[in-house]
Amino acid sequence: EILLMQSPGTLSLSPGDRATLSCRGSQSVNANYLAWYQQKPGQAPRLLISGASSRATGVPDRFSGSGSGTDFTLSISRLEPEDSAVYYCHQYGTFPLTFGGGTKVEIK
Amino acid sequence: EVQLVQSEAEVKKPGESLRISCKGSGSFSFTSSWIGWVRQLPGKGLEWMGIIYPYDSDAKYNPSFQGQVTISADRSTNTVYLQWSSLKASDTAMYYCARRAVDWQPLDYWGQGTQVTVSS
């Protein structure tokens, strides 16, 4: 099983700041099949990024993904209050599929 | 548009059985997609439970959930099910279904979630 470790656990930033979220795998993620999701309280997760760096339909270009192998990053530039949420990475290239533990982004 | 509509919240007692559902509709081939289930314990993260291909009911499970739940599908009604034969208090959680359009694609569309509460 590929374990995904996300850091930091919580990010507290101001509007307009840049957020950098990390996701590290216990082994290489097959073909960079790495996704990022945003989950707001009381809502289902929303797909932001697939294939490590491809934005899903309708996702603002403030969100960008990068990385390969075992190290991946989600960057959110020009933070807005609506970006307050928990962000999860997810590898979908090897069964069992797995999720990281999440990073909570708080907007001051 | 792709829609996954899940059954309503359930309150059960330990030892009871339960089946919750996820019905697909909209502009996609339900039987040619994969539908997965994800658990979220109260205040915790996401856990992938398993996934099924409704066309032939090929199901793959997370070893952590193998034998604890059963995932099934009814092609005729575009519905996927998650069932328990004997619930425990530790099954109390929100359960989401989500679509994987083709092999090796992420879970892209999600249902609204079904809250399951198990309490004596």
Side-chain angles (χ1 to χ4, degrees):
Chain A
E1 175 175 330
I2 297 178
L3 301 179
L4 297 176
M5 290 148 283
Q6 291 189 241
S7 61
T10 303
L11 266 178
S12 186
L13 296 166
S14 299
D17 285 350
R18 180 182 187 85
T20 302
L21 287 66
S22 173
C23 175
R24 176 163 292 177
S26 60
Q27 53 188 283
S28 185
V29 174
N30 185 26
N32 292 336
Y33 288 144
L34 193 286
W36 289 93
Y37 295 88
Q38 176 192 63
Q39 187 179 34
K40 297 181 179 180
Q43 296 185 17
R46 171 197 179 197
L47 177 65
L48 297 176
I49 302 285
S50 64
S53 60
S54 297
R55 270 188 302 278
T57 302
V59 174
D61 60 7
R62 301 184 293 103
F63 293 87
S64 62
S66 63
S68 63
T70 60
D71 290 300
F72 299 88
T73 300
L74 175 70
S75 298
I76 314 171
S77 63
R78 306 183 306 278
L79 277 168
E80 298 184 3
E82 68 201 46
D83 299 331
S84 180
V86 179
Y87 293 83
Y88 295 96
C89 59
H90 167 57
Q91 71 80 21
Y92 54 94
T94 301
F95 287 117
L97 310 187
T98 49
F99 289 90
T103 291
K104 184 175 184 178
V105 173
E106 298 176 337
I107 310 298
K108 296 176 193 172
Chain B
E1 184 189 4
V2 174
Q3 280 201 311
L4 298 174
V5 178
Q6 297 185 228
S7 49
E8 295 297 312
E10 300 273 2
V11 179
K12 292 289 193 180
K13 290 181 166 37
E16 292 186 332
S17 62
L18 175 65
R19 188 177 76 167
I20 62 176
S21 66
C22 170
K23 184 175 176 62
S25 65
S27 56
F28 78 106
S29 173
F30 186 82
T31 54
S32 298
S33 303
W34 293 80
I35 304 295
W37 288 97
V38 175
R39 182 176 81 172
Q40 188 164 38
L41 296 171
K44 301 298 184 183
L46 305 171
E47 300 173 273
W48 178 76
M49 301 176 71
I51 199 164
I52 191 165
Y53 189 62
Y55 178 79
D56 59 6
S57 288
D58 179 24
K60 302 183 189 304
Y61 291 88
N62 183 331
S64 297
F65 292 93
Q66 182 95 42
Q68 309 304 309
V69 297
T70 301
I71 298 172
S72 60
D74 182 344
R75 291 168 50 179
S76 67
T77 60
N78 282 4
T79 304
V80 167
Y81 300 97
L82 177 66
Q83 66 182 67
W84 295 259
S85 59
S86 181
L87 286 160
K88 308 179 189 68
S90 56
D91 293 319
T92 294
M94 180 69 79
Y95 293 88
Y96 294 101
C97 66
R99 182 193 79 155
R100 175 191 237 193
V102 296
D103 280 348
W104 310 122
Q105 288 293 309
L107 301 170
D108 54 3
Y109 287 89
W110 293 62
Q112 84 276 19
T114 296
Q115 175 66 46
V116 173
T117 302
V118 184
S119 173
S120 54

